[in-house]
Amino acid sequence: MSLLLAGLMASPAMAQPQRIVSLDYCADQYVLGLARREQIAALSPLARSDYASLADQADGIPVLRPDAEAVLAARPDLVVRSWGGDGRLMALLERLGIEVHQIGYVTGFDDVRREVRAVSDVFGTPETGEAVLARMDAALEGIEASNPQTALYVTPGGVTAGEGTFINAIIGAAGLTNMAASRAGWSDLPLEAVAAAAPDIIVTGFMNGGTEGVNAWSASRHPVMRRALEQRPAIALDTGVISCASWMAADEAVRLNAFARQEAQP
């Protein structure tokens, strides 16, 4: 390890990263989508998971645990993270002078534009970032107007998404009114409101991913919600897309809009 550290500290800084290491699932998506393949040294263990949107692009690329020994063995000149890696690893990378790019918190498509441009600039691939954003914007601009409809996001754990969440941004981009928009962030399902006036559309997430705990007391199993789920049209958002807020969510907004327009037809 001491020889490895010495080698890393002696390595000259590069204008463009040549050995990018990603520490978590969300960082994987940005690295795979925006970096040149030859720049990628390693990804996180979740890069090829069943719900990874860009899993096919991860084939053949090494994966590593987000710990000091594994990361340093990959000899990165740039580490990308959203939430992966602990404070000790971050402190070590800083001490060694290895650049770490932190992907910021995303609550809307303007944030996606900011992060895509920041990441692609760091990678030295700004043209890739602009191409990705052009496709995203074209998808969003092509969404057709529909009759006003309400939607409620439901997870197995019995929570919903309100103002300041990326789910809220997807629902709004699809031309729907989020029934929980008056609440900030994540909150319990509004059972009283649903009982008084059920949403036109139920939007579900993580129903097939096994990533969120659920028990007999979950609000999603309450009779009010069970009736709504049985009686109202429901659409499941792609788990891989909503697990990491990125440009790929534009396609989910398009799909949600098309579903809503179909259900609105007499």
Side-chain angles (χ1 to χ4, degrees):
M1 176 69 81
S2 59
L3 290 176
L4 178 60
L5 292 177
L8 285 166
M9 295 181 75
S11 299
M14 297 182 180
Q16 287 189 6
Q18 303 300 309
R19 295 191 59 78
I20 300 171
V21 167
S22 168
L23 296 185
D24 55 67
Y25 165 82
C26 193
D28 293 336
Q29 309 312 302
Y30 277 79
V31 169
L32 289 168
L34 299 172
R36 297 189 300 275
R37 188 176 179 87
E38 62 268 22
Q39 291 179 290
I40 306 173
L43 301 167
S44 85
L46 294 176
R48 292 195 289 270
S49 60
D50 291 342
Y51 55 85
S53 300
L54 301 179
D56 57 336
Q57 297 184 35
D59 286 344
I61 299 176
V63 299
L64 53 74
R65 302 181 311 278
D67 60 41
E69 184 172 3
V71 171
L72 294 183
R75 301 184 64 83
D77 53 12
L78 175 66
V79 172
V80 183
R81 72 185 294 262
S82 178
W83 62 80
D86 59 21
R88 290 175 297 177
L89 174 58
M90 295 304 105
L92 176 60
L93 295 174
E94 182 180 5
R95 191 161 65 247
L96 294 175
I98 298 173
E99 184 178 359
V100 176
H101 182 80
Q102 173 72 54
I103 296 173
Y105 188 60
V106 173
T107 63
F109 287 99
D110 282 343
D111 294 340
V112 172
R113 294 181 186 93
R114 178 197 69 214
E115 293 306 315
V116 165
R117 289 189 172 115
V119 171
S120 59
D121 282 349
V122 170
F123 292 171
T125 59
E127 68 290 341
T128 301
E130 291 305 319
V132 160
L133 292 179
R135 290 194 295 272
M136 181 188 82
D137 288 335
L140 293 174
E141 291 167 5
I143 290 176
E144 299 181 32
S146 61
N147 294 331
Q149 295 178 79
T150 58
L152 180 67
Y153 180 71
V154 178
T155 71
V159 298
T160 190
E163 182 68 29
T165 66
F166 196 53
I167 296 296
N168 183 64
I170 294 174
I171 292 173
L176 302 172
T177 298
N178 183 4
M179 191 172 178
S182 61
R183 302 181 177 197
W186 297 88
S187 61
D188 293 336
L189 288 167
L191 295 176
E192 295 85 358
V194 172
D200 296 314
I201 293 173
I202 302 290
V203 181
T204 65
F206 301 101
M207 291 296 187
N208 61 345
T211 58
E212 186 171 340
V214 60
N215 57 50
W217 299 104
S218 170
S220 64
R221 292 193 175 187
H222 190 281
V224 169
M225 279 310 307
R226 293 182 68 175
R227 282 195 298 272
L229 286 166
E230 292 168 359
Q231 297 171 2
R232 298 298 188 185
I235 179 173
L237 295 181
D238 185 296
T239 300
V241 171
I242 61 176
S243 294
C244 175
S246 76
W247 61 93
M248 289 177 278
D251 291 335
E252 285 300 277
V254 170
R255 191 167 68 89
L256 179 54
N257 171 264
F259 178 82
R261 287 188 290 106
Q262 179 181 349
E263 291 300 324
Q265 293 178 356

